Amino acid sequence: MAKEIKNNKKVRYYTKWNDHLYMALVHVLCAVSVVCILVPLIFVVAASFSSPKALLSGKVYLWPVDFTLRGYNMLLGHKLLISGFLNSILYTVVGTVINVVMTVLAAYPLSRRDLAIRNPVMFLFTFTMLFSGGMIPSYMLVKNLHMLDTIWAVVMPTALSVWNLIITRTYFQSTIPQEILDSASVDGCDDFKFLIKICIPLATPILAVNVLLYAVGHWNSYFNEMMYLNTTTKFPLQLVMREILMNMNTAGMSMDVTKQLEIQETKYLLQYTTIIVGSVPVMLLYPLVQKYFVKGIMVGAIKG
């Protein structure tokens, strides 16, 4: 620990050697973490701009070899890519709006200490984190509700994340004092106005966290879409790119060895290209909410 010594109105700080050692270890671990994250990322970017032969021969490390846009031209030229991209945007925006609204409407009442049944209700929410109906009952439910092959089959089964609910509820408990509610009640503010005009403006960090977590989840989702969507023009981007890679597996079965090798090389290149195309929109979203993310996730994780 640092010691403060006052002498002739001058303040001097003396730090123990173990504090220097601790900070050195922190910097080393941070540097190692950055390297572990950046090296694979740089490799994927370099591989997406390299020739398939260079990839298969293991010549690509951190810089493109035999620079080419072949993978991007093939991927961006696919007839379903534009519709898949627009569908992903639609599913992400609509799904995230539903998620945030449902999370706030569930988290705020559960954060109120004057709600008598909040503990039993919270137990029921938590129970679903451990046990669920399963894939087949979920499919039958969506089918019986006549939501198959519609946007609602994609966004409604995941309308609420219990983990995000817990974080948001804890944020409300830790950030909004009971005195504010009492003061607003004296002024004639009901619960709904208190939520809209006071709680939500004060909950900007946790709302930004929810937007980021839900949006990333919707953007990367493909399993529910694969089960519930039948029309290819309704496929999201992730499912379109999966179909492209799956078609590459079956395209060369009836061809000679040379063609099969060429298709295998192209598939290997497309794997890295799809990673870049599918990740860039999410990477562009993160800087917009980054300043709220750390604050919201830390405050929301504190036990209330």
Side-chain angles (χ1 to χ4, degrees), residues 238-277:
Q238 307 296 337
L239 198 55
V240 169
M241 293 191 296
R242 178 185 179 274
E243 291 295 317
I244 294 174
L245 294 177
M246 294 296 293
N247 291 335
M248 294 294 295
N249 286 333
T250 59
M253 290 184 176
S254 59
M255 300 180 181
D256 56 23
V257 177
T258 304
K259 287 291 185 180
Q260 290 181 4
L261 180 60
E262 182 180 351
I263 291 176
Q264 185 65 27
E265 292 175 347
T266 304
K267 176 193 171 185
Y268 196 51
L269 174 63
L270 283 176
Q271 290 177 351
Y272 295 102
T273 308
T274 53
I275 293 175
I276 299 298
V277 173

Side-chain angles (χ1 to χ4, degrees), residues 182-198:
D182 296 338
S183 177
S185 299
V186 172
D187 294 334
C189 181
D190 58 23
D191 291 330
F192 187 76
K193 288 183 179 179
F194 182 77
L195 172 63
I196 298 298
K197 296 184 178 181
I198 297 178

Side-chain angles (χ1 to χ4, degrees), residues 19-200:
D19 291 333
H20 291 293
L21 178 61
Y22 173 78
M23 292 307 299
L25 291 176
V26 169
H27 284 85
V28 170
L29 290 176
C30 289
V32 172
S33 300
V34 170
V35 171
C36 292
I37 294 172
L38 285 181
V39 169
L41 181 61
I42 295 174
F43 170 76
V44 171
V45 175
S48 67
F49 289 104
S50 301
S51 66
K53 294 185 181 297
L55 283 174
L56 288 178
S57 60
K59 297 179 180 179
V60 180
Y61 295 100
L62 300 178
W63 193 259
V65 177
D66 298 334
F67 183 87
T68 179
L69 296 176
R70 177 181 174 183
Y72 290 97
N73 291 332
M74 292 185 61
L75 191 63
L76 297 178
H78 195 275
K79 60 181 180 179
L80 293 177
L81 189 75
I82 300 300
S83 63
F85 187 80
L86 295 177
N87 288 334
S88 287
I89 294 177
L90 176 63
Y91 299 155
T92 300
V93 172
V94 175
T96 302
V97 170
I98 294 175
N99 292 144
V100 174
V101 171
M102 295 292 292
T103 301
V104 171
L105 292 180
Y108 171 69
L110 293 173
S111 69
R112 293 279 297 271
R113 292 179 173 85
D114 54 347
L115 180 64
I117 62 171
R118 68 171 188 158
N119 289 331
V121 172
M122 197 64 222
F123 171 78
L124 294 177
F125 276 115
T126 308
F127 184 83
T128 63
M129 298 178 67
L130 305 176
F131 304 96
S132 65
M135 182 173 63
I136 296 178
S138 299
Y139 180 86
M140 293 176 62
L141 176 62
V142 172
K143 180 180 179 181
N144 292 335
L145 292 175
H146 306 288
M147 294 193 302
L148 285 180
D149 206 26
T150 66
I151 183 177
W152 309 115
V154 176
V155 300
M156 294 308 296
T158 57
L160 178 66
S161 168
V162 179
W163 172 252
N164 291 7
L165 167 64
I166 294 174
I167 294 177
T168 308
R169 181 207 62 170
T170 308
Y171 185 93
F172 283 139
Q173 290 177 344
S174 306
T175 307
I176 302 174
Q178 180 67 26
E179 290 76 13
I180 297 180
L181 175 61
D182 296 338
S183 177
S185 299
V186 172
D187 294 334
C189 181
D190 58 23
D191 291 330
F192 187 76
K193 288 183 179 179
F194 182 77
L195 172 63
I196 298 298
K197 296 184 178 181
I198 297 178
C199 290
I200 292 180

